[in-house]
Amino acid sequence: MGGCVMGRVTAVLVDTVSIQKYVYSSNRLKENIGASRIVTNIYKESLEKSLKAALNHDVELSEWMRKPDNILIQSPDVDFEVGYIGGGNALLFFRDETTAKEFIKIWTRRLLVEAPGLNTAFAISYFDMANFQSDRDDLYKQLEQNKSKYLPQTFLPKHGITADCPVSGQSADIFKQNYDDDKSGHISSSSYAKYANADIDDAQSLVEQLSKGVFTCETDVDKLGQTIGNNHIAIVYIDGNSMGEQFKTCQNLTETRDLSKNLNEAMHRVYTEFLDFVIGEMDFYMDKNSGFKIHKDKDK
């Protein structure tokens, strides 16, 4: 790519690769929760700090949601803008290519420490808002090519002189106190990061709010209602098949932002309705003849 052309900026398309594999690589609930929070938070605090380091000023990551039709990067005085963030990926716009590449270096280096084992992929190219659909499609094609031809090493490899992590099977390289069922010892940096992020405060707050303080959340899989000899666990998730095709029908950035915003709002609304349904069924689960054993955490 050469010098800057009037009307064009540098676009960076980011994707989080194999999210399900990363989240469900362990059968320990705390690790699943921690991994899920890591995937969500890399597009928040980690992204914000990396952008600030590359741009040398603070950034606003949610302005695009508040004003989706206001495209700031079209002004020559603006050096960065979020196109959108959602669904495990992000579209970012930079005034110049050098800053964009510096950001990628800073962020991927930070993720090696904050989220070891999580793979990301990038596409970078000049972008003209007047040719939004064409330039966006070219970015996605480059992203798919990059994902298929290069898989980065994001965790310490195993070799003959290291112990195996009892949780992940990777190299045990960091000590963790009370990492699972009050166990302590050396585990992999990937498992350590997941346990360190196994915070359910937000989920607890929502459940306790919807249940008027009667119920709360649990991080111990053995307290999810199963009884001895009948401990069946189901993992239920929403897989947005072909959502990428819907995004490809968007003709401009404003339409893309609106779709991403509406999708985020719909997911939150459906999740809240799901919790309401479960809470409404708890009288059945708590009945002694239901086949479930509901535990108490203090008064909840």
Side-chain angles (χ1 to χ4, degrees):
M1 293 187 295
C4 181
V5 178
M6 185 64 68
R8 295 200 302 179
V9 295
T10 298
V12 174
L13 181 62
V14 191
D15 190 22
T16 313
V17 183
S18 301
I19 294 178
Q20 292 178 24
K21 181 179 179 181
Y22 180 74
V23 172
Y24 297 118
S25 61
S26 169
N27 61 0
R28 289 168 171 82
L29 183 57
K30 283 186 179 180
E31 276 203 82
N32 303 148
I33 294 170
S36 181
R37 287 193 76 245
I38 288 173
V39 171
T40 301
N41 289 337
I42 66 166
Y43 291 106
K44 294 180 180 180
E45 184 177 352
S46 180
L47 175 60
E48 183 178 3
K49 288 181 178 179
S50 300
L51 286 167
K52 183 178 180 179
L55 296 164
N56 294 315
H57 62 73
D58 292 334
V59 295
E60 173 55 63
L61 297 182
S62 56
E63 181 70 16
W64 68 272
M65 294 187 69
R66 291 192 290 267
K67 298 179 180 179
D69 57 345
N70 190 18
I71 304 175
L72 302 175
I73 196 66
Q74 294 183 127
S75 169
D77 298 328
V78 176
D79 59 358
F80 168 78
E81 183 178 17
V82 175
Y84 72 89
I85 300 174
N89 56 63
L91 179 61
L92 311 172
F93 295 110
F94 294 82
R95 177 58 51 194
D96 65 87
E97 176 190 0
T98 302
T99 305
K101 289 185 174 181
E102 180 64 19
F103 155 72
I104 294 174
K105 289 168 58 177
I106 293 172
W107 197 31
T108 50
R109 187 165 57 240
R110 181 183 294 274
L111 290 179
L112 287 174
V113 177
E114 296 179 351
L118 181 65
N119 289 324
T120 52
F122 294 81
I124 180 171
S125 177
Y126 275 135
F127 199 98
D128 190 341
M129 293 295 175
N131 300 318
F132 180 85
Q133 286 183 294
S134 175
D135 286 1
R136 177 205 57 203
D137 291 346
D138 288 343
L139 266 178
Y140 272 101
K141 289 178 183 177
Q142 183 192 141
L143 181 67
E144 290 304 314
Q145 291 174 356
N146 291 343
K147 287 163 63 175
S148 63
K149 71 182 181 182
Y150 176 63
L151 188 64
Q153 179 71 41
T154 56
F155 57 87
L156 292 175
K158 291 172 60 176
H159 49 84
I161 61 172
T162 59
D164 290 345
C165 169
V167 177
S168 65
Q170 298 172 6
S171 177
D173 49 62
I174 187 169
F175 184 84
K176 180 75 171 71
Q177 189 80 29
N178 299 331
Y179 65 84
D180 186 41
D181 295 329
D182 295 326
K183 297 176 183 176
S184 300
H186 284 82
I187 59 177
S188 69
S189 54
S190 177
S191 292
Y192 183 94
K194 292 175 182 179
Y195 278 116
N197 282 274
D199 181 5
I200 59 171
D201 287 349
D202 292 341
Q204 281 182 329
S205 297
L206 182 57
V207 170
E208 292 174 9
Q209 173 190 339
L210 294 174
S211 68
K212 296 180 173 57
V214 177
F215 300 108
T216 188
C217 293
E218 183 54 63
T219 60
D220 187 346
V221 73
D222 291 328
K223 295 181 181 179
L224 293 182
Q226 64 270 37
T227 57
I228 297 175
N230 194 25
N231 54 346
H232 302 291
I233 298 295
I235 295 176
V236 182
Y237 63 92
I238 297 175
D239 192 358
N241 287 334
S242 302
M243 281 304 302
E245 297 302 317
Q246 291 196 39
F247 276 94
K248 289 180 181 179
T249 64
C250 297
Q251 299 182 10
N252 52 56
L253 182 58
T254 300
E255 288 186 16
T256 304
R257 287 174 165 178
D258 284 335
L259 177 57
S260 183
K261 178 183 177 181
N262 292 338
L263 181 60
N264 287 332
E265 291 173 350
M267 292 298 293
H268 180 73
R269 184 170 62 252
V270 169
Y271 176 60
T272 302
E273 292 174 359
F274 160 73
L275 290 179
D276 273 330
F277 171 79
V278 173
I279 291 169
E281 296 292 311
M282 287 303 293
D283 285 343
F284 164 75
Y285 297 130
M286 295 174 70
D287 187 278
K288 64 181 181 180
N289 297 318
S290 69
F292 291 88
K293 183 180 179 182
I294 302 302
H295 295 260
K296 291 194 72 173
D297 179 10
K298 299 178 183 177
D299 61 333
K300 297 181 176 58

